[in-house]
Amino acid sequence: MPAQLAKAWSVALVGLSGAMVEVEAAVSSGLRGTIVVGLPDTAVTEARDRCRAAMQVTDLGWPEGRVTFNLSPANLPKAGTHFDLAMVAAVGATQRLCRQEALRQVMLFGEVGLDGQVRPARGLLPALLEAVRHGFTKVIVPTAQLREAMLIDGVEVTGVSRIERLFAVLNGGNGDEPPPPTPVAPRSKPLPDMADVAGQFEAKWALEVAAAGRHHVYFHGPPGVGKTLLAERLPTLLPDLSPAESREVSSIHSLAGRPLSDLITRPPFSAPHHSASLPAVVGGGAKIANPGAISMAHRGVLFLDEAPEFSARTLDSLRVPLESGKVTISRAYAVTVFPAAFQLVLAANPCPCGNADTPGQECKCTPFTVRRYASRVSGPILDRVDIRQQLQPLQRSFLSRTHAVGESSAQIAERVAAARERQAARLAEVGFQVNGEVPGVVLRKQLPLPDGIELLEAAVAQGRLSARGVDKVLRLAWTICDIAGSAKPSQDQLHAALAMRRGSERC
Ligand SMILES: [Zn+2]
């Protein structure tokens, strides 16, 4: 029997970056068997068994003799189940189920079930973007992911639900219709809105400043005062994602296996539980890493409730992403870099039992436990946090008052958007976009100093404020000034910024 050879195309993904992969199938005489070469992970190695079973079950047949799959470039690690479709197509082409020419410039993506079904796989969006970048004009994807694939312009997308349909399409037939859009269930709960939160005007103001200047926040207060309620509503104050950000954020969510029927255009919210493992928070996986909660919060908000309960390793692993906006994960086969530029909201009870500093409640913790609890969030993380806001339980009388309902998210978001525009224009010459990013040296040397700066000098002289604390107050003063639309922070605005740092004895 002469050796037969055919090839198809797919994409290997390491993080969000991808590379085109040529999937070759060679059938040669000799001992029966199937091997996969070219740095495959377990899922790719198992693909040979899935593909063989599927082709036998569907009567498409499997070649006699030896089948060798080669995924090249060989030095690039391959992970995931989406190579199945290209492997089936290549082996089918060796058996004249389709012509080799039909596979030219076609990117194939999809997992194949033992019964011949073509199933969704993770990372379709970044794979498609890679194919488009390489000039591929046609892609074949699982029908279930057709709507996700249609989000990308510039490429002809065909959906197949079974491998028999794949060969029908490769022989000139039509693909499947996209599945009907998932009916939008009537929401049992309305979208979160700042107006839902009763009282806590000081904390809402702190969130408005946080949203406007992209400052990280630390909420302190007893359980039940609304820390989570407030944190969940921070994304509702932030501007829409730009088109480039939207593609990037959607790609991360596609890679994490979230079904997408639309591009994500709003800042995401990610809130890992304190018992979550380190890989679940920062990203991880057996041989090639998957995105973690901090990457799912990219361009949005990462909320760590009960922050002191997170392991020291997990908290420490946030340090680099907070500086660089990305996270690097080393695994056996590859070093993966994921974007992780998030806005951090930490929340903590005053002590392990939650009752310290709460009027009318008795704290059962020792002073030592209270101190140790507070110090679990390390200095390097707190250095990045500009706003520390204390929350107090609402008074009963306050709840019954009508004015307890405040502004809506949309009203606040309008001021935030205007403040963002003003900062971007003002900071363009020093190379930044938001006040939260501006380093201390730029604040002190390159930007004008606010009126009444003596106030801060006095606070430093009295030991009430550290040098780092000065930078934080300056940053906040600029944001408060940008919200107000003034040219330079006034003495009152400096006071307001200093107040926002109240209770920050450790900074
Ligand atoms: Zn306590």
Side-chain angles (χ1 to χ4, degrees), residues 350-357 362-366 369-370:
C351 67
C353 86
N355 288 338
D357 306 335
E362 192 194 345
C363 169
K364 297 188 177 63
C365 316
T366 63
T369 351
V370 175

Side-chain angles (χ1 to χ4, degrees), residues 372-392:
R372 195 181 55 183
Y373 186 75
S375 66
R376 290 192 60 162
V377 180
S378 67
I381 303 289
L382 289 181
D383 279 350
R384 306 286 304 177
V385 175
D386 290 340
I387 301 177
R388 293 183 66 158
Q389 179 68 41
Q390 186 75 37
L391 278 86
Q392 294 295 347

Side-chain angles (χ1 to χ4, degrees), residues 25-197:
V27 180
S28 52
S29 54
L31 283 177
R32 279 188 76 114
T34 311
I35 56 168
V36 183
V37 294
L39 223 54
D41 80 341
T42 322
V44 182
T45 309
E46 287 167 358
R48 63 176 183 198
D49 303 322
R50 285 194 296 273
C51 296
R52 185 173 52 212
M55 290 191 74
Q56 284 168 341
V57 165
T58 51
D59 287 337
L60 291 167
W62 190 257
E64 297 285 333
R66 190 172 187 78
V67 180
T68 307
F69 288 106
N70 179 32
L71 277 55
S72 67
N75 60 353
L76 193 76
K78 327 284 183 316
T81 54
H82 63 270
F83 292 100
D84 294 8
L85 205 58
M87 290 166 77
V88 161
V91 86
T94 66
Q95 304 305 295
R96 311 278 185 269
L97 293 175
C98 65
R99 289 174 309 120
Q100 169 67 64
E101 289 73 58
L103 294 171
R104 281 189 55 194
Q105 293 294 300
V106 181
M107 195 279 277
L108 294 126
F109 186 101
E111 179 184 322
V112 171
L114 298 182
D115 57 355
Q117 275 199 38
V118 180
R119 297 177 179 155
R122 305 196 318 178
L124 174 60
L125 219 48
L128 276 176
L129 290 169
E130 188 63 28
V132 171
R133 236 189 326 268
H134 279 83
F136 279 66
T137 50
K138 286 184 183 175
V139 296
I140 301 181
V141 302
T143 304
Q145 280 180 301
L146 202 45
R147 286 197 180 275
E148 181 175 340
M150 285 155 68
L151 297 173
I152 302 295
D153 294 331
V155 64
E156 184 190 318
V157 183
T158 308
V160 293
S161 54
R162 301 193 50 82
I163 56 173
E164 301 94 317
R165 303 275 309 129
L166 167 69
F167 290 106
V169 165
L170 291 172
N171 287 309
N174 290 330
D176 295 343
E177 288 294 314
T182 334
V184 182
R187 290 186 70 89
S188 50
K189 278 198 298 188
L191 283 169
D193 194 288
M194 212 50 124
D196 314 334
V197 186

